[in-house]
Amino acid sequence: MNAALFLIGGVVVLLLGYIFYGRWLAKQWGIEDGRSTPAHELEDGKDYCPAKAPVLMGHHFSSIAGAGPINGPIQAAVFGWVPVMLWILIGGIFFGGVHDFGALFASIRHKGESIGEVISDAIGARAKKLFIIFAYLTLILVVAAFASIVANTFNATFDASGAVDLEASAANASTAIISILFILMAILFGFFVYRRNAPLPLATIIGVVGIILCMAIGLHWHPLYLSSTAWMIIVGVYITVASVTPVWILLQPRDYLSSFLLYGMMILAVVGILGCHPTLDMPAFTGFTDTLAPTGTSLGALFPALFVTIACGAVSGFHSLVASGTTAKQLDRERDAKPIAYGGMLIECGLALISVCTVGYIWTQYADGTTVTPTVVFATGLASMFSSVFGQATYDVVYSILILAVSAFCLTSLDTATRLARYMLQEFFTPSGQSRKDLTGWRKTITQPLVATLITVVLGIALGLTGYAKIWSLFGAANQLLAALGLLAVCCWLGKIGRNNKMFYIPMFFMLLVTLTSLVFTIRDQALGILAGTDVTWCWVRGVIGVLLVILSIVLVVEGVRALSRRGKPQATN
């Protein structure tokens, strides 16, 4: 299969899905452009703050992307490019796009509150509590993992005597200083755009030039050589500040500018793929079981592994938390929901298709286990394609840009996850119908933004330092369970207000089936590990968590089905 035709064909399908299916969804749900959004109704200059559509698109896209649409498709490539491509296209248009768009729409009709509040309205208060507990714990895991990833991207290498190996640490030190300079530049961007009313087009041009300058400076001047532990603490301080700082100071401008790194990365990829137009040197289909296992560990059966592994590139529960957590509080107009949520998901699908092209280009190196780390596969494949067109001298530059871009998105997803966890904690301890202003005593204390953030950061950083990797294998299933529950929540709410919700049925039950199957396999594997006496403690931990997730999903689905069955006569749209 020619990689250029693969990419062009996939993008055309995604574009048609956006134009026709996205338009149909907006009409079925009743998007009203003239209706005031929570960003205006509840504007507080901190969390609720209207953002121009391109700025909000930058935040939303940078937050949901992370490394997900790169890691998942590359890992799932062991099943062949045909099943991977089909799931990216079908999943993105009919599953992920519906999930993200629906979550954002439901949230803006619930005062910008999370999917938990949508569940409370459509299913019940108990279901809301269960969902928030699950979502919060999942976000703690995200904070732990992404903080560790960022710290390992920045950390220095030390020799046997404890001295810094300057040569081996130079690349990481460059990434660290560029990231710091980028954050400072984003703060200046936010100040001039939101407090000095600088024209967005002019500010954007200056900001993009600033990104290039930050990279040029960081590649030649990188004085910080710190350990991974030190960077974990620094990252913890950063995300604490980022979570409580008004969104216009850091979150909006930083994510908006970060999106240009992603756009630039995708442009480089398209130029490389179309210019090189290589043949995908990988099988179309390898079978229903992963026997290749280039990392040394098989993914197992195609079902459910394919649908759990390719998450952000097709459908991801984390997206509903972003859409209903931060994006809904900044949406300027309802009509912006479609391009930001549905369009953002399909752009991510495009990035997933690019990832397939990269692994296909260096398939031999991937299949024999030589190059298997997804971000390295991605950067190596694209840099190789680009250099084959424009010369070998471009390889190192393109490779460095790609690694930097992926690191920037991990950092973006990290502080977004921290802010979302803070929202979840505040919602959990705030009774329905009340706001934090109505609270007293310990509830008022624990829901104070800084306190809620510190609880989240301490738990996340501590887990990142001690052992998140031991339970990370459960994250894929937990994330897709979030997707199933997000679909269930919006489905029940649309049914309650008398809107067409039938487009949710198949995605909802399919993702639930995927999740339960994956969890059953996980529980089985942990039981076998316990019987074999291998890593018994962590087998028990993973097994118990798996059982609890199964119980949680069954309870919420039963309550959701009951809510759907008692919907009765349609109510007026709220």
Side-chain angles (χ1 to χ4, degrees):
M1 179 64 177
N2 183 279
L5 293 178
F6 172 90
L7 181 60
I8 292 171
V11 169
V12 168
V13 172
L14 293 172
L15 185 60
L16 292 173
Y18 175 79
I19 293 171
F20 295 106
Y21 197 59
R23 180 193 301 162
W24 181 76
L25 291 174
K27 185 178 296 184
Q28 292 295 306
W29 298 344
I31 296 291
E32 300 175 23
D33 190 43
R35 187 180 182 124
S36 181
T37 63
H40 291 283
E41 293 177 344
L42 303 172
E43 184 173 1
D44 58 9
K46 187 174 183 180
D47 294 321
Y48 289 84
C49 184
K52 295 179 177 66
V55 175
L56 186 55
M57 180 64 161
H59 157 69
H60 182 80
F61 189 32
S62 298
S63 297
I64 66 172
I70 295 172
N71 289 359
I74 289 174
Q75 292 172 333
V78 292
F79 296 112
W81 65 263
V82 169
V84 172
M85 183 183 194
L86 288 176
W87 176 233
I88 290 171
L89 297 180
I90 295 172
I93 294 170
F94 299 105
F95 287 63
V98 174
H99 169 268
D100 294 13
F101 190 12
L104 179 55
F105 177 59
S107 180
I108 60 177
R109 292 296 179 89
H110 286 82
K111 300 180 181 179
E113 294 178 314
S114 75
I115 286 294
E117 191 59 38
V118 178
I119 287 178
S120 178
D121 179 25
I123 301 177
R126 182 175 67 172
K128 171 190 173 180
K129 293 290 187 183
L130 290 173
F131 176 83
I132 289 180
I133 291 172
F134 168 60
Y136 182 78
L137 294 177
T138 302
L139 287 169
I140 292 295
L141 189 57
V142 171
V143 170
F146 277 65
S148 181
I149 291 170
V150 170
N152 288 329
T153 304
F154 293 172
N155 73 318
T157 301
F158 299 87
D159 60 24
S161 65
V164 176
D165 186 334
L166 294 178
E167 184 177 352
S169 305
N172 282 10
S174 291
T175 303
I177 199 67
I178 291 170
S179 299
I180 293 171
L181 292 173
F182 181 75
I183 290 170
L184 295 175
M185 185 186 67
I187 294 172
L188 290 174
F189 180 92
F191 173 77
F192 282 106
V193 170
Y194 288 99
R195 288 298 178 267
R196 290 295 180 264
N197 297 316
L200 183 60
L202 176 61
T204 299
I205 293 172
I206 296 174
V208 172
V209 172
I211 292 174
I212 297 172
L213 288 175
C214 287
M215 294 177 64
I217 293 171
L219 290 172
H220 295 89
W221 178 73
H222 34 78
L224 296 179
Y225 293 88
L226 304 175
S227 68
S228 178
T229 300
W231 278 118
M232 283 287 283
I233 296 171
I234 292 171
V235 167
V237 173
Y238 164 73
I239 59 179
T240 299
V241 175
S243 176
V244 297
T245 299
V247 292
W248 66 266
I249 292 179
L250 181 58
L251 184 138
Q252 287 182 354
R254 197 278 320 281
D255 291 359
Y256 174 62
L257 292 175
S258 291
S259 68
F260 285 95
L261 276 174
L262 184 52
Y263 301 147
M265 180 177 73
M266 294 181 72
I267 290 170
L268 284 175
V270 170
V271 170
I273 292 170
L274 297 184
C276 183
H277 56 84
T279 298
L280 291 178
D281 187 25
M282 61 188 293
F285 179 60
T286 61
F288 291 98
T289 303
D290 170 22
T291 57
L292 191 64
T295 63
T297 304
S298 172
L299 292 181
L302 184 145
F303 183 89
L306 177 73
F307 309 99
V308 172
T309 305
I310 303 178
C312 290
V315 57
S316 167
F318 179 66
H319 294 190
S320 67
L321 302 184
V322 175
S324 67
T326 54
T327 306
K329 294 176 174 63
Q330 302 171 62
L331 194 74
D332 187 30
R333 296 172 299 185
E334 275 202 3
R335 73 179 183 188
D336 294 339
K338 177 190 166 188
I340 289 171
Y342 195 76
M345 179 66 243
L346 298 191
I347 294 174
E348 194 165 4
C349 292
L351 180 56
L353 293 174
I354 289 172
S355 299
V356 178
C357 294
T358 65
V359 70
Y361 189 65
I362 62 167
W363 180 253
T364 302
Q365 295 171 245
Y366 183 72
D368 66 12
T370 303
T371 306
V372 294
T373 303
T375 51
V376 176
V377 171
F378 183 79
T380 301
L382 281 183
S384 298
M385 281 188 272
F386 202 86
S387 62
S388 72
V389 179
F390 298 99
Q392 189 60 35
T394 62
Y395 181 91
D396 290 339
V397 175
V398 173
Y399 185 93
S400 298
I401 291 173
L402 295 173
I403 292 294
L404 174 64
V406 173
S407 174
F409 302 135
C410 287
L411 195 59
T412 299
S413 297
L414 173 62
D415 59 36
T416 297
T418 307
R419 187 178 286 261
L420 293 173
R422 188 251 291 180
Y423 291 157
M424 289 286 178
L425 197 64
Q426 289 174 311
E427 278 191 31
F428 183 82
F429 290 105
T430 303
S432 296
Q434 295 186 27
S435 68
R436 186 175 175 272
K437 295 178 182 178
D438 303 318
L439 303 181
T440 58
W442 66 270
R443 287 181 182 270
K444 189 175 185 66
T445 300
I446 205 170
T447 56
Q448 201 278 333
L450 181 59
V451 174
T453 298
L454 285 173
I455 293 171
T456 299
V457 171
V458 169
L459 291 174
I461 297 299
L463 182 59
L465 287 170
T466 57
Y468 82 92
K470 295 290 187 179
I471 56 174
W472 182 250
S473 59
L474 285 165
F475 176 74
N479 184 53
Q480 298 306 65
L481 177 55
L482 268 178
L485 297 179
L487 289 163
L488 172 66
V490 181
C491 179
C492 291
W493 173 70
L494 286 172
K496 178 181 177 181
I497 65 173
R499 295 289 185 180
N500 184 3
N501 64 352
K502 292 183 174 56
M503 71 287 293
F504 284 88
Y505 287 179
I506 293 177
M508 176 176 65
F509 286 112
F510 181 79
M511 294 312 299
L512 183 65
L513 181 61
V514 164
T515 300
L516 290 176
T517 304
S518 178
L519 288 172
V520 167
F521 285 175
T522 298
I523 294 168
R524 179 202 62 188
D525 292 343
Q526 304 317 307
L528 292 175
I530 292 170
L531 292 175
T534 305
D535 199 15
V536 174
T537 301
W538 283 107
C539 281
W540 272 108
V541 171
R542 289 188 290 265
V544 170
I545 293 174
V547 171
L548 291 175
L549 289 178
V550 170
I551 294 172
L552 169 70
S553 61
I554 292 174
V555 170
L556 287 175
V557 169
V558 168
E559 297 211 8
V561 170
R562 287 176 178 171
L564 285 172
S565 66
R566 65 172 180 262
R567 83 182 213 186
K569 296 181 179 180
Q571 301 176 17
T573 304
N574 63 357

